[in-house]
Amino acid sequence: MVKVAPSILSADFIRLGEEIRSVESGDLLHFDVMDGVFVPNISFGLPVIRSVRAFTALPLDVHLMTVRPLELVEKFLDQGADALTLHVEADEPERTERALRLIRARGKKAGLSVKPATPVSALSPFAPFLDLILIMSVEPGFGGQSFMPEALEKIREARRLADSLGTGCQVEVDGGINRETARLCESAGAAILVAGSHVFRAADRAEEIRILRGV
Ligand code: DX5
Ligand code: ZN
């Protein structure tokens, strides 16, 4: 069984409240924050997270696809992020470590993500500060893309790294998750699956979340 984190990137923003209610059987709510610089798309930011925090009790799993995440970390924590994941490619190692330490110091879960072309080994220097490793199984920037099967070996490697820490660090996978890829990722060692388009396109979203969870 895995945890399912519906991504609101695929929600209808005209009805965001209802959309969130329709996926509240998920385990976390995933926010894909995009700045148009680190990734070629702009999504949403602090005002949306602030409203959503007041609206739902679901843990907020924030994914920063932005440059200079150190300058954003405290702002998202102040708005109620429960988990905050940045990209190892986004900043200098020293600033990346500071950002992770800052998240941990606030008692929240610190995560680091790798794009498809970035090896899992790039995360090793930061391993002592990680509660989450986010493996991108699509090129970050857009929902609705197809799962990249080469991510499976990275999930296995990330799981070995996470287990070696003995700290309860978990592997999360983001991109192209559906009924088939969910099981592949779970078998490879993923504990949390981000799912946007597959869940929001489903006729019965709660049932689809249950199926993805693998109960
Ligand atoms: C990519 C985004 C998406 C999103 C999930 O930058 O991070 O992966 O969360 O989208 P789907 O589930 O539609 O691939
Ligand atoms: Zn994401």
Side-chain angles (χ1 to χ4, degrees):
M1 200 165 113
V2 293
K3 291 184 178 178
V4 176
S7 165
I8 67 161
L9 185 69
S10 299
D12 174 358
F13 287 88
I14 301 298
R15 306 182 302 112
L16 186 55
E18 294 165 52
E19 295 279 89
I20 289 172
R21 286 286 182 260
S22 75
V23 297
E24 263 180 336
S25 60
D27 300 285
L28 309 99
L29 204 60
H30 189 80
F31 286 88
D32 286 306
V33 180
M34 302 176 184
D35 65 1
V37 178
F38 183 73
V39 291
N41 193 6
I42 296 177
S43 57
F44 41 71
L46 297 166
V48 173
I49 308 261
R50 182 181 308 119
S51 297
V52 172
R53 175 70 293 165
F55 181 77
T56 181
L58 271 185
L60 306 187
D61 177 35
V62 178
H63 177 192
L64 292 180
M65 288 166 272
T66 69
V67 295
R68 303 176 70 79
L70 178 59
E71 293 160 21
L72 293 172
V73 160
E74 285 197 289
K75 294 172 182 169
F76 278 93
L77 291 170
D78 290 347
Q79 296 310 327
D82 295 292
L84 204 47
T85 296
L86 40 144
H87 271 263
V88 70
E89 307 93 347
D91 211 333
E92 298 304 317
E94 184 271 330
R95 288 168 53 87
T96 297
E97 181 178 325
R98 275 172 54 199
L100 294 169
R101 286 176 178 272
L102 196 53
I103 299 164
R104 277 268 184 92
R106 295 274 295 264
K108 302 302 179 183
K109 290 192 180 298
L112 206 49
S113 184
V114 283
K115 290 182 175 181
T118 306
V120 171
S121 57
L123 302 177
S124 302
F126 308 98
F129 314 108
L130 295 185
D131 302 300
L132 283 173
I133 295 173
L134 180 63
I135 301 296
M136 292 307 298
S137 38
V138 296
E139 200 58 44
F142 300 89
Q145 301 177 74
S146 298
F147 182 85
M148 298 167 73
E150 53 270 39
L152 292 172
E153 185 48 39
K154 291 179 73 175
I155 296 166
R156 292 186 196 99
E157 188 180 350
R159 180 62 189 265
R160 287 193 295 271
L161 172 59
D163 288 352
S164 72
L165 302 176
T167 57
C169 179
Q170 292 189 305
V171 178
E172 182 173 359
V173 184
D174 186 350
I177 296 297
N178 57 35
R179 293 186 183 189
E180 179 201 357
T181 58
R183 302 287 69 84
L184 294 174
C185 291
E186 181 177 21
S187 303
I192 304 167
L193 303 177
V194 175
S197 51
H198 183 75
V199 166
F200 281 96
R201 284 180 191 149
D204 182 338
R205 294 172 177 175
E207 171 66 4
E208 204 56 37
I209 288 168
R210 198 188 61 74
I211 292 168
L212 290 183
R213 191 176 280 134
V215 289

